[in-house]
């Protein structure tokens, strides 16, 4: 059963703590993305990775970090430097080989992070 | 100017009518366009993709693309209450890396 999984579904963080959100895909997609969504808002890109061991900052990377050691995995760490981390976090992946312009992007189910 | 713009709504349509959702984009070289549906509290679900000028139909959904006007739209025929959701327009931007840029989304409500 192919797809994108994110864990945990809900996460509570105390102020000053770092937390790591998991994202795994078995679709053999090269590119992976992390977005943040605030209530009633659109998606904002945090980080993205086109290949293993390489990643780029998106529009709102401050206070976040990522790694891409394996093709299947793209974990996101929300650090204590992120002042307002309460949001819905979405991971996505898409292929980049072949006719890239036709490659579709799919999302995981999301992690809802709340700062206590 | 935002790269992808949508009317945030809310858009209210009676059941059985046609819902029309619009999106404009600023990147003239964009070639790939997508519509996602997002139910409250859930992740976005891809419902349509379109790459060529004209119309593309899939069941009750029709995507329309006009690259000269930098405009893409989604029509939902015979609207059902289950169509009530936020619809996100996305455009593939290629600047070295490839990434989708999303509009803010249009909240659609179908009234029984």
């Amino acid at each position: 059963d192919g797809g994108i999984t994110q864990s945990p579904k809900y996460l509570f963080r105390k102020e000053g703590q770092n937390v790591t959100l998991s994202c795994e895909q078995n679709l053999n997609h090269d590119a992976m993305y992390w977005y943040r969504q605030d209530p009633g808002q659109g998606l904002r890109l945090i980080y993205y990775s086109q290949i293993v061991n390489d990643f780029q900052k998106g529009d709102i990377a401050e206070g976040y970090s990522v790694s891409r050691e394996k093709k299947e995995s793209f974990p996101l760490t929300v650090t204590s430097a992120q002042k307002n981390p309460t949001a819905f976090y979405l991971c996505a992946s898409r292929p980049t080989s072949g006719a890239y312009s036709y490659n579709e992007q799919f999302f995981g189910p999301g992690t809802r992070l709340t700062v206590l | 100017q935002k790269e992808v713009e949508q009317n945030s709504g809310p858009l209210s349509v009676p059941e059985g009518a046609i819902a029309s959702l619009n999106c404009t984009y600023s990147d003239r070289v964009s070639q790939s366009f997508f519509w996602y549906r997002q139910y409250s509290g859930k992740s976005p679900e891809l419902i349509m993709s379109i790459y060529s000028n004209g119309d593309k139909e899939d069941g009750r959904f029709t995507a329309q693309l006009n690259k000269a006007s930098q405009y893409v739209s989604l029509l939902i025929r015979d609207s059902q209450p289950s169509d009530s959701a936020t619809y996100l327009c996305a455009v593939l931007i290629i600047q070295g890396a490839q990434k989708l840029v999303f509009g803010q989304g249009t909240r659609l409500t179908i009234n029984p």
Side-chain angles (χ1 to χ4, degrees):
Chain A
D1 188 21
I4 305 170
T5 58
Q6 290 186 243
S7 62
K9 186 174 181 180
Y10 298 97
L11 184 58
F12 298 91
R13 189 194 95 168
K14 293 181 180 178
E15 289 201 24
Q17 276 185 336
N18 292 354
V19 291
T20 297
L21 283 59
S22 169
C23 178
E24 304 276 334
Q25 54 98 2
N26 61 4
L27 301 168
N28 200 34
H29 287 172
D30 296 301
M32 297 186 74
Y33 305 82
W34 273 106
Y35 296 88
R36 167 181 173 145
Q37 188 174 38
D38 293 282
Q41 303 295 313
L43 303 176
R44 292 188 289 168
L45 183 63
I46 305 172
Y47 267 98
Y48 59 104
S49 168
Q50 302 274 264
I51 56 173
V52 174
N53 293 322
D54 187 48
F55 48 83
Q56 291 81 38
K57 292 181 179 180
D59 301 317
I60 55 163
E62 186 175 351
Y64 300 97
S65 66
V66 294
S67 63
R68 187 84 187 278
E69 297 177 1
K70 298 187 299 182
K71 188 175 185 178
E72 302 80 16
S73 179
F74 191 40
L76 173 74
T77 296
V78 184
T79 75
S80 57
Q82 171 49 239
K83 296 307 178 189
N84 186 20
T86 295
F88 188 39
Y89 289 86
L90 290 158
C91 179
S93 72
R94 61 186 291 272
T96 57
S97 58
Y100 60 82
S101 59
Y102 297 102
N103 291 332
E104 297 173 340
Q105 179 168 309
F106 298 96
F107 285 85
T111 291
R112 196 166 297 278
L113 173 64
T114 302
V115 173
L116 301 173
Chain B
Q1 182 188 4
K2 292 182 181 177
E3 289 180 284
V4 180
E5 294 204 54
Q6 294 180 256
N7 187 329
S8 61
L11 176 64
S12 186
V13 173
E15 184 175 357
I18 296 175
S20 178
L21 304 162
N22 303 317
C23 173
T24 58
Y25 61 94
S26 60
D27 185 2
R28 291 188 170 275
V29 301
S30 294
Q31 297 293 319
S32 307
F33 308 87
F34 307 89
W35 283 99
Y36 288 82
R37 177 177 62 200
Q38 186 176 25
Y39 292 115
S40 181
K42 302 295 186 182
S43 64
E45 170 194 10
L46 180 66
I47 54 172
M48 288 289 284
S49 55
I50 187 165
Y51 311 105
S52 305
N53 277 329
D55 295 359
K56 179 182 177 183
E57 188 174 316
D58 183 1
R60 295 186 296 111
F61 297 99
T62 298
Q64 299 176 317
L65 175 61
N66 183 326
K67 291 183 181 178
S69 299
Q70 296 175 240
Y71 173 93
V72 57
S73 65
L74 179 70
L75 301 178
I76 307 174
R77 290 183 302 281
D78 188 25
S79 297
Q80 303 296 310
S82 60
D83 295 325
S84 297
T86 296
Y87 289 81
L88 300 167
C89 172
V91 177
L92 180 65
I93 304 294
I94 300 172
Q95 295 171 337
Q98 304 166 27
K99 57 180 181 176
L100 287 187
V101 177
F102 287 84
Q104 193 122 348
T106 298
R107 188 156 54 94
L108 174 66
T109 300
I110 307 300
N111 300 310

